[in-house]
Amino acid sequence: MGLDSKKDVHLDGPSAGSVSRLEVLEGPSGRRVRSEAERARIVAESLLPGAQVAEVARKHGATRWQIYDWRRRLRQRGVLPPCEGSHPTFAPLVVEGALEERQVPAIKLEIAIGDAVLRLSITHI
């Protein structure tokens, strides 16, 4: 590895001071730095009725996991109210009659192996 005297960086190459190929990439590196206000706007858009997180993420060049993480962080700081959907919701249980009143039909089981047949009848469980 050689030390480039002009840029003061190490360059990969077979011998000191010579580089066979140097490629310079321009443009964004793929990693964006977003302001808190921009994150909050994207999160707010993802919380609109009918919005799909994946579509909002694709629109803004983010991943849905980033948006979920931003939501979580905003909730932890109290900037975003707790999500009503974050707590599990259950359907009410309706029992029409006591279990003792029901008649369980007899279960008939027959196992046949070759010439041997085993028959069982169970009337309650």
Side-chain angles (χ1 to χ4, degrees):
M1 284 195 232
L3 182 65
D4 184 355
S5 60
K6 294 180 183 177
K7 300 292 180 183
D8 204 25
V9 296
H10 288 281
L11 302 172
D12 291 332
S15 62
S18 66
V19 176
S20 59
R21 181 176 174 182
L22 178 64
E23 189 173 342
V24 177
L25 301 175
E26 295 183 24
S29 64
R31 187 178 181 114
R32 294 187 181 177
V33 178
R34 299 182 192 268
S35 67
E36 286 295 318
E38 186 178 5
R39 290 179 185 178
R41 278 194 306 275
I42 294 170
V43 166
E45 184 178 338
S46 75
L47 293 171
L48 291 174
Q52 293 183 355
V53 176
E55 288 179 8
V56 173
R58 200 171 15 258
K59 175 182 171 185
H60 294 284
T63 66
R64 62 181 196 262
W65 301 115
Q66 284 177 312
I67 294 177
Y68 291 135
D69 185 53
W70 297 340
R71 284 181 180 181
R72 181 183 53 80
R73 290 178 187 209
L74 289 172
R75 282 192 184 102
Q76 285 175 343
R77 286 190 276 154
V79 177
L80 194 63
C83 179
E84 300 88 30
S86 66
H87 301 293
T89 56
F90 298 97
L93 175 65
V94 178
V95 179
E96 294 181 4
L99 292 177
E100 295 80 36
E101 296 174 8
R102 293 187 178 187
Q103 292 292 331
V104 178
I107 299 172
K108 295 183 180 181
L109 179 66
E110 183 174 301
I111 302 173
I113 302 174
D115 292 336
V117 177
L118 176 63
R119 291 187 182 99
L120 297 171
S121 180
I122 303 170
T123 56
H124 63 283
I125 299 175

